Structures are given as structure tokens and as C-alpha cells.
Amino acid sequence: MSGHEQAQAPQEFAGRRWLFPSAVVHELDPDAGALGRPPRRTARDWVVDFSCFLLAVALGLAAADTLRHDPHTPHALAVVDQLLGVLACAAVWLRRRWPFGLAVAMIPVGFLSNTSGGAALVTLFTLAVHRPFRYVAWVGGIGLALMPGFYWLRPDPDLPYAAVVTLTTLMTVSVISWGLFVRSKRQLMLSLRDRARRAETEARLRAEQAQRLAREAIAREMHDVLAHRLTLLSVHAGALEFRPDAPREEIARAAGVIRESAHEALQDLREIIGVLRTGDSDDTGRPQPTLAALDALVAESREAGMKVSLDNRVTDPAGVPASVGRTAYRIAQEALTNARKHAPGAEVTVTVTGAPGDGLAVSVHNPAPASVPRPVPGSGQGLIGLTERATLAGGRLEHGPTADGGFEVRGRLPWGAA
């Protein structure tokens, strides 16, 4: 199983199982009922079941002692009463597997047997714990309705009729209330556990989404940074390949550009890998380029042999937000890279306008190339990345051919009023 699958797999129940009821462990541990078998009793279940059995036996013995001194009960009925009471006490051990069926069966048994009253209370409590309230309401309501008739036909020899009916009713209602309280407490525990699991799942999904977004941002940054440098390498290496007889000065200048571009590309790559290793944000290390670095970008392109004119009409360059200026710089950088690849020798015009409250506009235009350039592998990915970058910054990016056969990239970015 992979690490991702292990993270998504449900965690096993880490608590002390013997302290919890088997029904709770079954709900908290997804593997407990994987084979479709009923949950096994825990140590706590055995203690509770044995205590309930002893309680049912004690109440049955007390009722049998009263029955033995009751002259109004025939001997045959007393024997049947006690026999049903023994069977009812033995059935207490089955209360966890069939709570509703056992509680229903105890209705006629309880009407015929006074010694099964303790077992009937235990099964009623179990029904209130393990089943919804509507089951308890039906079974408990029928039992309470039959109770006055039972004590009318078989009066208690020690207590008056009204007293015994009232006492038994209060005991039945108390047992039902106690069972409902235990059920609500268990449901609260399960709901808190389920809420904790959902919170862990949501936190894991948010962490995975954050990792994915971080990887996309790093990949976009690597493309924006390295494509410009590697394009210079490709252009000048191609010039040396196709013009081996070029003057020594041009060869030296091209070799210098190749060396400088390779050095800058390695430096940028080291910085990005350093971010991956240390987990720092991309705001650390060397300052990220902003709109103020646009002049240096144009100068670098001119040194590489491009014909570039810059028309910067921004009213307050220092007031441009860093994120907006960085996005504008990347748009101009990628557009110049594309112009160098697809329109070599053409004069490129970079225009930047904007003011606080009006937004920032970046336009890079190049006319049709004098000759058909060689195809460059991997073309088109940069514009897709630029469109995503502009959208994340709250702006938009448009690009396409112009009427003169050239190509133009237009970006519009938000720049709020100061």
C-alpha cells in the first residue's frame, strides 16, 4: 500500500478496547465488522452482562419468594411462573444480539410470569440503548398498558394495588430513561469521533491541495525563469552552428552570452531547488523581479542581439504592488522569449501603462519575421502559464496574431487606488 493510500485508510481504534462496549468499538473501528460477524464482547461487556444477569436472578428470586407465600396463586401457575422466569434470566445473555426480538418476546412472558420482571427490565434497558426511540415507545407502551391488568389479576400480597402499579411504572420509566441517556451519550461520542475523522480528512485534503498549488507555482516559476535563459542559449548556439565563419568578435560575444545565460540559469535553478529543500517561501533569498527590473530585462535582451524598444508610461512605478509588478515582469519576459524564438531579428515593442485605480497594462508586439523560423519544441506552454498567472493576480491575458502578420501579447492587471 502506498503512502497516499495509507493516509486515506481509516485508522484503527487506538483506545483501550476492554473499557468500551463492543457496540461502540464496532462503530469506532471500521475493521471490527469487516467479516460481517457480530462484535465480540469486551471485558466491560462481560462484567455488565454478568451484573445484569445477577440483577435479573436477584429480582426473580425475590418474586419467587413472594410467590411462594401467596395463597391466591395456584401451584401449577407458580411452577410455570418460575420456569418462565428461569428461561427469561438465561435469555438475558442474548440481549445484545436480539434486543428488539427479546423485548417483544418478554411482553407475553412478563404477563404470565412475575419472576421474569427483572429480566424484562434488563431487556427493556437494552432496547433503549441499542435501538431508536420508536421501538422503545412501542414495547414500553404496551408493557405499561398491560401492567394494571396483570396486577389486577395477580395482586401483590404485600403492597396495595395502586402502590404496586405506581412503583412498577416509575421503575419502568426510570429504566427506559436511563437507557435513552446511555444511548445519547454513545451517539455523542460517535458523532465527536466522526467529526474528528472528517476534520482530519479535510486537513489532509487541504494539505494535499496546498502541496499541489505549491508545485504548480514552482513549476510556473521555473518555466518563467529558465525559459528566458535557455532561449538565449539556443539562439546563440544556433547562430554559432549555422555561421561557423562569423567574425571572431561575434563568436566571442555569442560565447559570452551563452556563458552568462548558463550561469544565470544555474543560479536560478539552485535558488528554486533551495526553496524545495528548505520549505521557505519564494520571497526569501534573492529579491524577486518587479516592474523596476523591466529596464534590466530589456537591456539584457538588447545585449543578446534583439531589437527592443521600451515605452514605460507608468505614472508611479514605485507604487506598483510587488505581486502585480512581478506578474507584469513575467509577462514581458515570456513575450520577449517567444519573440526571440518565433520572430528572430524583428523589432519588439514593449509598452507599459497604468496608474493607481486604473490598473496596469502590458503589451508586447512584434511584426512578422523576415523568414520562417525553425520550429522550437515545447512551444505554447509559456502562454498557458502566463494566462494562469494573470488570472491568479486578478487580471487577464490576451494574445494572438495582428493585422500586419505579427504577434501581440496584452495583459491587464489590477492596481487599486492608494
Side-chain angles (χ1 to χ4, degrees):
M1 182 180 292
S2 64
H4 180 71
E5 291 174 348
Q6 289 178 351
Q8 288 185 337
Q11 299 180 353
E12 294 184 358
F13 182 69
R16 298 180 179 178
R17 292 174 178 264
W18 63 274
L19 285 176
F20 291 86
S22 58
V24 174
V25 175
H26 182 74
E27 293 292 337
L28 295 181
D29 190 355
D31 296 332
L35 301 178
R37 299 175 181 175
R40 297 178 59 182
R41 283 188 177 95
T42 62
R44 180 187 181 279
D45 289 342
W46 284 105
V47 172
V48 172
D49 289 349
F50 193 72
S51 301
C52 291
F53 174 74
L54 291 180
L55 177 63
V57 170
L59 294 178
L61 291 176
D65 183 69
T66 303
L67 188 64
R68 188 166 57 250
H69 299 87
D70 185 7
H72 304 288
T73 303
H75 177 71
L77 180 59
V79 173
V80 173
D81 189 318
Q82 296 180 38
L83 180 59
L84 291 176
V86 171
L87 295 177
C89 291
V92 167
W93 291 100
L94 304 176
R95 65 189 185 92
R96 295 182 183 274
R97 181 169 296 186
W98 299 295
F100 180 68
L102 189 59
V104 171
M106 290 302 298
I107 294 177
V109 172
F111 190 77
L112 297 175
S113 173
N114 192 21
T115 56
S116 65
L121 291 177
V122 172
T123 57
L124 193 59
F125 170 79
T126 305
L127 181 65
V129 171
H130 294 278
R131 292 296 181 267
F133 177 73
R134 61 178 181 273
Y135 296 95
V136 187
W138 278 104
V139 176
I142 295 174
L144 291 175
L146 295 177
M147 191 179 301
F150 173 80
Y151 285 108
W152 179 265
L153 296 176
R154 300 181 59 182
D156 190 280
D158 300 326
L159 295 175
Y161 174 78
V164 70
V165 170
T166 303
L167 181 61
T168 308
T169 302
L170 290 176
M171 187 179 299
T172 303
V173 173
S174 300
V175 168
I176 293 176
S177 301
W178 185 21
L180 293 176
F181 171 75
V182 173
R183 175 178 174 80
S184 63
K185 187 177 179 180
R186 291 185 181 180
Q187 288 180 334
L188 177 61
M189 181 190 303
L190 295 176
S191 65
L192 292 177
R193 176 78 175 192
D194 185 61
R195 186 180 303 175
R197 283 182 175 174
R198 287 200 304 267
E200 292 176 358
T201 303
E202 292 174 359
R204 185 176 64 250
L205 292 177
R206 285 195 298 267
E208 292 176 356
Q209 184 180 13
Q211 289 180 351
R212 180 177 57 82
L213 294 177
R215 290 168 182 166
E216 292 177 356
I218 291 173
R220 189 182 301 113
E221 193 72 16
M222 289 182 66
H223 177 274
D224 294 342
V225 171
L226 298 181
H228 178 71
R229 309 292 183 190
L230 297 180
T231 301
L232 291 177
L233 289 174
S234 177
V235 171
H236 286 82
L240 293 178
E241 178 184 3
F242 286 96
R243 293 196 58 190
D245 57 343
R248 180 180 298 273
E249 293 78 8
E250 292 186 8
I251 294 178
R253 185 171 61 86
V257 172
I258 291 175
R259 179 183 58 80
E260 185 65 24
S261 298
H263 176 74
E264 292 290 338
L266 288 174
Q267 181 67 22
D268 293 334
L269 187 59
R270 289 192 190 99
E271 291 178 358
I272 295 174
I273 293 177
V275 171
L276 290 175
R277 287 177 177 174
T278 61
D280 296 335
S281 64
D282 56 2
D283 292 336
T284 59
R286 192 173 64 178
Q288 293 294 309
T290 60
L291 192 64
L294 193 59
D295 293 334
L297 176 65
V298 173
E300 182 183 2
S301 299
R302 288 170 180 168
E303 292 178 0
M306 291 187 66
K307 300 176 183 179
V308 185
S309 61
L310 175 62
D311 184 11
N312 193 342
R313 290 178 285 176
V314 179
T315 57
D316 184 16
V320 178
S323 60
V324 175
R326 186 181 304 116
T327 304
Y329 178 90
R330 295 303 186 194
I331 292 175
Q333 183 184 49
E334 180 65 24
L336 289 175
T337 301
N338 290 339
R340 186 182 299 115
K341 291 189 296 185
H342 303 291
E347 183 176 359
V348 184
T349 303
V350 180
T351 305
V352 184
T353 60
D358 295 334
L360 187 68
V362 182
S363 174
V364 181
H365 172 266
N366 63 269
S371 59
V372 179
R374 298 178 60 188
V376 180
S379 300
Q381 300 300 319
L383 293 176
I384 296 176
L386 282 183
T387 303
E388 295 177 354
R389 181 186 288 271
T391 302
L392 291 175
R396 65 180 185 275
L397 184 76
E398 300 175 354
H399 53 82
T402 58
D404 59 355
F407 196 85
E408 185 176 13
V409 177
R410 300 176 300 276
R412 185 77 181 181
L413 302 173
W415 183 7

